[in-house]
Amino acid sequence: MPKAQRQFRTQAIILSRRDFGESDRLLTLYTPLRGKLRAIAKGARKPSAKISGHVELFARSDCLIHRGRNLDILTQAELVDAYLGLREDLGRGAYANYVAELLDRFTADEDDDSGDVFLLLHQTLSRIAESADPRLAARYFELRLLDLTGFRPELQECVLTRADLLPEPQFFSYEEGGVVSRAAAPQVASRLAEIDFDTLKLLRHLQRSAESYAGVSSLRVTADQHQRAERIMLGYVSHLLERKLESVDFIHRLRRQMRSP
């Protein structure tokens, strides 16, 4: 039998990091061929460490990783893309944090079918860093990630009856995983969230544009529209994960601070 590969080189995006021991960092990385990995960056917290600037949060780096018994060891790293806009704007950084946490919760470790998810993550961080509406990039990411991980919400027809939806306010069932028509709503025992038809059209457009962001980037979405779409999507995500995401609380606190005089 061939020996297991002891080390390998890969591009990786740093999803999270925390202090480990006296001078190291424990990194959660997402890679295009091996999915999510956890690795120790030895000495990364030392001021003199050459590796430290190449393993910043949300950075994309070319990495050399040595397979360990319990944890992998990141032995080399060279920065490829820093997504500078995420570091220059606290709001953009907050959405990047949300995207990273969402991906971490929806993906398993060591997934060799991760190329599409890696590309989506890279493109989304670029969009959040540079686009005029980072919130729209986050909404698009949610729907595309749900597609790729097998949790696509049903937005085109009633999830119970499969009947076409009339252009009027409807309901969204987190438990059923999609929109429930007003006629079918009495059949649902679990809580339903109201969804107005404009919000449904926005989410449909984002879902239909899964293969190309070009049809999304030109949209002009108001703050109120964003809020209504976000309420539905965060409710669905929280139901699937059976928990609220920490990054969402930070985004909400940041918004409140920005509205304060």
Side-chain angles (χ1 to χ4, degrees):
M1 292 180 62
K3 292 183 178 180
Q5 192 176 11
R6 297 298 299 168
Q7 67 178 19
F8 60 93
R9 187 173 294 278
T10 180
Q11 284 207 1
I13 294 174
I14 289 82
L15 297 180
S16 65
R17 65 179 193 174
R18 63 180 176 87
D19 294 346
F20 189 87
E22 294 185 359
S23 59
D24 305 333
R25 290 196 192 280
L26 175 60
L27 308 175
T28 301
L29 313 169
Y30 202 83
T31 69
L33 297 179
R34 297 171 184 262
K36 189 168 59 181
L37 305 173
R38 305 186 196 280
I40 298 293
K42 291 285 189 179
R45 290 162 56 200
K46 294 180 179 178
S48 59
K50 294 181 180 179
I51 200 174
S52 60
H54 301 273
V55 291
E56 294 289 337
L57 192 58
F58 313 133
R60 178 165 62 103
S61 294
D62 186 66
C63 302
L64 183 63
I65 296 175
H66 182 84
R67 304 312 302 253
R69 183 181 298 273
N70 298 313
L71 282 172
D72 295 342
I73 308 296
L74 191 151
T75 56
Q76 296 177 17
E78 183 175 352
L79 184 67
V80 176
D81 195 338
Y83 310 106
L84 289 176
L86 306 180
R87 306 173 204 294
E88 297 169 349
D89 184 283
L90 186 59
R92 294 177 187 273
Y95 282 112
N97 191 38
Y98 169 68
V99 161
E101 186 182 6
L102 193 64
L103 186 144
D104 191 14
R105 298 297 182 190
F106 272 97
T107 55
D109 293 352
E110 300 279 352
D111 179 7
D112 60 3
D113 187 23
S114 55
D116 289 342
V117 176
F118 180 85
L119 180 60
L120 174 65
L121 176 61
H122 159 59
Q123 292 174 336
T124 300
L125 292 178
S126 296
R127 291 163 186 155
I128 292 174
E130 300 169 5
S131 70
D133 191 350
R135 201 168 176 179
L136 186 61
R139 287 288 83 75
Y140 179 86
F141 175 84
E142 286 169 342
L143 285 162
R144 183 70 178 126
L145 181 67
L146 290 170
D147 276 0
L148 292 172
T149 54
F151 295 99
R152 178 187 177 95
E154 177 55 69
L155 303 175
Q156 304 303 321
E157 59 188 18
C158 175
V159 72
L160 295 182
T161 66
R162 297 300 168 185
D164 291 339
L165 297 167
L166 297 175
E168 62 184 14
Q170 306 289 350
F171 296 96
F172 192 97
S173 170
Y174 302 135
E175 190 169 281
E176 299 294 339
V179 178
V180 175
S181 68
R182 300 188 74 82
Q187 304 176 34
V188 181
S190 58
R191 185 175 71 87
L192 295 173
E194 289 193 54
I195 178 170
D196 63 276
F197 204 70
D198 283 343
T199 299
L200 179 57
K201 287 195 296 183
L202 172 61
L203 294 178
R204 281 175 166 178
H205 183 73
L206 294 174
Q207 191 178 69
R208 285 196 302 266
S209 302
E211 299 302 323
S212 173
Y213 193 72
V216 172
S217 58
S218 60
L219 290 177
R220 295 295 177 263
V221 183
T222 67
D224 187 52
Q225 289 173 319
H226 268 309
Q227 185 174 350
R228 295 196 300 267
E230 183 179 85
R231 177 178 59 86
I232 295 297
M233 293 307 301
L234 292 185
Y236 184 46
V237 165
S238 297
H239 173 80
L240 293 172
L241 297 176
E242 299 183 339
R243 62 182 298 170
K244 292 183 178 180
L245 299 179
E246 295 177 7
S247 53
V248 173
D249 288 337
F250 179 72
I251 289 172
H252 290 167
R253 288 199 304 273
L254 188 60
R255 285 184 197 155
R256 288 195 294 270
Q257 292 173 6
M258 293 176 67
R259 288 195 296 264
S260 298

